[in-house]
Amino acid sequence: VVFSAVQGVAGAEVSALNFDANGDLRVTLSAPGQAEANAVVQRIEQAGFTVRPSAFAASGGRITGDLTVALP
């Protein structure tokens, strides 16, 4: 679901994936801007998952932050 959501948004990339002890998936996402990051979040949510984004930081013309993806 995560890779499908990211592939569907131009310029979005995953740089890390980690599972938390409680089973949540933490995804480090890089995107050209906030609109693209929001589009990835919306696609994951539309697949039935809960997404909790961290604050995103801008660097080198892109933004990077973490998404915590969990079952509802």
Side-chain angles (χ1 to χ4, degrees), residues 3 8-10 12-13 18-20 23-26 30 39 41 43 45 49 51-54 63-64 66 70:
F3 283 113
V9 177
E13 299 176 352
N18 293 298
F19 281 97
D20 291 339
D24 289 352
L25 176 63
R26 186 174 306 269
S30 175
V41 169
R43 286 172 174 262
E45 289 176 337
F49 292 87
V51 181
R52 294 184 308 275
S54 71
I63 62 169
T64 302
D66 291 330

Side-chain angles (χ1 to χ4, degrees), residues 30-69:
S30 175
Q34 193 64 49
E36 291 83 2
N38 290 340
V40 171
V41 169
Q42 289 173 350
R43 286 172 174 262
I44 296 170
E45 289 176 337
Q46 288 172 350
F49 292 87
T50 300
V51 181
R52 294 184 308 275
S54 71
F56 277 69
S59 177
R62 295 181 64 78
I63 62 169
T64 302
D66 291 330
L67 305 177
T68 301
V69 181

